[in-house]
Amino acid sequence: MDFFSDFAEKFYDNFIKDDRWRYLTDGLMNTLLITLFAVIIGLLLGFIIAIIRATHDKTGKLKVLNLISKVYLTVIRGTPVVVQLLIIYFVIFASVNIDKLFVAVLAFGLNSAAYVAEIVRSGIMSVDKGQFEAGSSLGLGYNQTMITIILPQAFKNILPALANEFIVLLKETSVSGYIAIADLTKGGDIIRSQTYEAFMPLIAVALIYLVIVMFLTFLVGKLERRLAKNDKR
Amino acid sequence: MINVKDLHKSFGDLHILKGINETIEKGEKVVIVGPSGSGKSTFLRCLNLLETPTSGDIFFEGTNITKASTKEVNLLRQKMGMVFQHFNLFPHLTIKKNITLAPVKLGLMTKEEADATADRLLKKVGLADKAEQYPPQLSGGQKQRIAIARSLAMNPDVMLFDEPTSALDPEMVGEVLNLMKELADDGMTMVVVTHEMGFAREVASRVLSMDDGYIVEQNTPKEFFANPDSPRLREFLSKVL
């Protein structure tokens, strides 16, 4: 009996009293917002880098852009995302008054782009080279072949890997608190600092992430099965 | 129509083509035979520059294509159809889209014209009922017939065949060879790399034998099979006939 009344009391303290649950919902909103826009930046920039790299691998052109891309990938993938976030906020935008959410979107977007680029490039490389030759033999130029023949097939091959990258990204945004953004993780931490109670808020935060990730994983699985079915037609 | 002068091709240290001189006239059906690694596929792929020659010249309808710009190369490829061993159909597009993609994208036909062309070609290759299906649903022989239809949609002046029946189950070889015979009868200029000696005998106007990067012998099919000159060719023919 003690346990339950204790639990109810703690639940009240941590979530109901002073509307503390709002730290979690507001935090979740920020987490989702950062993730969504970072995904968009990651996809756009990632695709561009991947096409530069694949074009270089296939034709030997775009040497300078390829070199820049390679340096970019090395730096981004070789350093922790928290450090990148801190550098962008405290070094690059040090003297500018700028929305912190924007900084986070930029940092996570630039970071994700590096991983998306390698996924997309592997997708382009996974398309049989006969497809490219077939396009060329019909007189289609490099860009036309890429856009109408290679990329649609590559995209289909990498959809599951891309989706997984975004699940990882969602969890990575939990370090946004380093630049004092009240994301989901920070929200739980604020509750902890007010109630001196760690268990409830932190477990709640973990559960929310878990549910979202499980839901996204479920969607990816469904997508994968549908794509596999299309192959068997 | 096609004039090849002292064509060489190397992959790194590997010297595949060691000086090919050959002229292919309009309307000819040239069949190229020879053992694996003799360079026959490489030779064929050089003709539409899927492989870039290391040295030598190739003239197509009067233009030296080895010196052509990328744009000119794309234009020349529209005039040279190619059929691959592994079909290389576009698996994400319907059969009809496979055929209409290039003519429409290249602005040669409107979508309606291309659709009409596709319908006509599908009827010609006997697969009109497959128009809305996808390549993975077809058998190998059907895929290759579609691949031929796809090339024909570009109205090519010459068709290159790179071992078109080598990846097929035996019972499907006939349907593809029959279609190729029809093309030959229609007067299409054809260059065919194949191991189908029956096809060579029946359809070829000329048979070339390649070995070790050279064209070692060429003749009318009748003479070619009856009186092979070189011992190497005699040995090869005794193995494949």
Side-chain angles (χ1 to χ4, degrees):
Chain A
M1 213 50 217
D2 256 9
F3 175 78
F4 286 108
S5 62
D6 203 33
F7 184 91
E9 191 184 323
K10 278 186 176 163
F11 190 89
Y12 178 82
D13 271 355
N14 280 295
F15 301 125
I16 314 291
K17 196 174 163 198
D18 297 338
D19 276 350
R20 287 197 173 118
W21 56 272
R22 295 212 50 166
Y23 288 116
L24 296 183
T25 52
D26 289 355
L28 180 60
M29 276 309 293
N30 281 339
T31 292
L32 293 178
L33 214 67
I34 294 169
T35 307
L36 179 70
F37 285 102
V39 161
I40 293 170
I41 292 181
L43 265 183
L44 286 178
L45 190 59
F47 255 87
I48 293 169
I49 295 174
I51 289 170
I52 290 170
R53 300 257 291 134
T55 302
H56 176 78
D57 288 356
K58 273 188 207 282
T59 66
K61 289 175 191 161
L62 305 179
K63 273 205 177 78
V64 177
L65 283 175
N66 182 57
L67 190 74
I68 295 172
S69 303
K70 263 174 126 166
V71 171
Y72 181 78
L73 295 186
T74 308
V75 171
I76 295 288
R77 296 199 300 166
T79 53
V81 66
V82 194
V83 178
Q84 293 162 17
L85 180 70
L86 291 173
I87 288 175
I88 291 179
Y89 186 60
F90 289 114
V91 180
I92 296 175
F93 290 119
S95 53
V96 202
N97 191 7
I98 197 163
D99 189 346
K100 280 182 280 196
L101 279 181
F102 174 79
V103 172
V105 164
L106 195 66
F108 291 112
L110 293 179
N111 180 269
S112 183
Y115 294 92
V116 170
E118 287 302 89
I119 294 172
V120 174
R121 191 170 74 100
S122 77
I124 293 173
M125 290 307 175
S126 75
V127 177
D128 181 51
K129 86 180 204 315
Q131 292 290 312
F132 215 96
E133 291 182 349
S136 303
S137 79
L138 290 165
L140 294 171
Y142 180 87
N143 293 341
Q144 283 171 319
T145 308
M146 201 64 172
I147 292 165
T148 57
I149 298 168
I150 307 298
L151 282 181
Q153 295 183 58
F155 191 66
K156 191 178 147 182
N157 290 346
I158 59 172
L159 256 183
L162 273 184
N164 278 320
E165 160 60 20
F166 298 137
I167 290 177
V168 171
L169 179 62
L170 171 82
K171 289 181 288 179
E172 275 185 345
T173 60
S174 62
V175 297
S176 302
Y178 272 85
I179 59 167
I181 288 176
D183 74 320
L184 177 57
T185 306
K186 188 74 183 174
D189 207 40
I190 292 172
I191 298 176
R192 185 185 60 82
S193 69
Q194 293 183 352
T195 60
Y196 302 109
E197 165 70 42
F199 180 81
M200 282 264 178
L202 294 184
I203 293 297
V205 166
L207 280 177
I208 294 171
Y209 278 115
L210 184 64
V211 167
I212 296 174
V213 169
M214 279 169 67
F215 177 67
L216 289 176
T217 309
F218 165 77
L219 286 184
V220 175
K222 228 174 141 152
L223 195 68
E224 262 179 277
R225 277 191 297 279
R226 175 170 310 166
L227 291 178
K229 209 187 284 168
N230 279 4
D231 278 340
K232 273 183 239 142
R233 310 177 260 235
Chain B
M1 173 174 263
I2 301 174
N3 199 338
V4 180
K5 287 200 172 123
D6 197 28
L7 177 66
H8 287 259
K9 174 68 187 175
S10 303
F11 294 100
D13 288 339
L14 208 58
H15 204 168
I16 302 291
L17 299 178
K18 300 173 180 171
I20 305 276
N21 291 288
E22 184 55 47
T23 302
I24 294 163
E25 301 293 346
K26 193 167 166 42
E28 269 199 301
K29 295 99 185 59
V30 176
V31 172
I32 305 171
V33 302
S36 314
S38 58
K40 48 196 193 314
S41 277
T42 306
F43 172 52
L44 194 73
R45 289 161 59 82
C46 280
L47 293 181
N48 68 351
L49 297 181
L50 280 186
E51 304 292 352
T52 312
T54 310
S55 68
D57 296 304
I58 302 170
F59 295 87
F60 176 66
E61 296 176 341
T63 319
N64 188 345
I65 63 175
T66 53
K67 305 226 172 6
S69 68
T70 317
K71 218 177 196 166
E72 288 169 316
V73 169
N74 289 337
L75 283 174
L76 113 94
R77 283 176 176 156
Q78 296 179 17
K79 297 274 122 214
M80 284 183 154
M82 184 159 206
V83 175
F84 299 88
Q85 181 176 0
H86 296 288
F87 332 123
N88 297 351
L89 293 180
F90 308 130
H92 61 302
L93 300 176
T94 63
I95 298 304
K96 194 175 213 172
K97 280 262 172 65
N98 262 274
I99 297 173
T100 59
L101 175 76
V104 173
K105 286 284 168 211
L106 293 168
L108 304 176
M109 297 180 193
T110 64
K111 198 180 168 299
E112 291 71 32
E113 287 169 339
D115 280 342
T117 306
D119 289 338
R120 178 173 58 79
L121 288 170
L122 282 172
K123 213 168 282 168
K124 182 183 173 70
V125 302
L127 294 168
D129 54 325
K130 306 287 186 198
E132 297 308 320
Q133 295 190 17
Y134 286 84
Q137 294 170 301
L138 270 52
S139 73
Q142 292 172 333
K143 281 183 200 165
Q144 197 59 297
R145 282 146 70 196
I146 297 297
I148 293 172
R150 181 176 69 178
S151 289
L152 288 175
M154 298 295 295
N155 278 320
D157 293 342
V158 56
M159 289 273 282
L160 312 175
F161 292 84
D162 189 5
E163 304 202 24
T165 58
S166 298
L168 297 178
D169 290 338
E171 76 267 23
M172 292 171 183
V173 170
E175 61 190 75
V176 172
L177 291 182
N178 284 336
L179 177 59
M180 290 167 64
K181 272 177 213 161
E182 259 176 61
L183 274 187
D185 292 340
D186 292 348
M188 176 62 76
T189 310
M190 293 163 70
V191 185
V192 185
V193 170
T194 187
H195 295 291
E196 293 294 330
M197 296 304 155
F199 179 83
R201 212 187 292 238
E202 203 179 324
V203 178
S205 49
R206 208 145 52 94
V207 184
L208 308 182
S209 162
M210 284 189 68
D211 192 19
D212 196 26
Y214 298 100
I215 295 178
V216 288
E217 197 164 334
Q218 58 167 301
N219 218 324
T220 59
K222 205 174 158 200
E223 282 298 306
F224 184 90
F225 290 108
N227 303 307
D229 281 339
S230 69
R232 275 294 305 247
L233 176 59
R234 235 171 280 156
E235 187 194 327
F236 173 69
L237 288 177
S238 72
K239 276 181 198 154
V240 294
L241 285 181

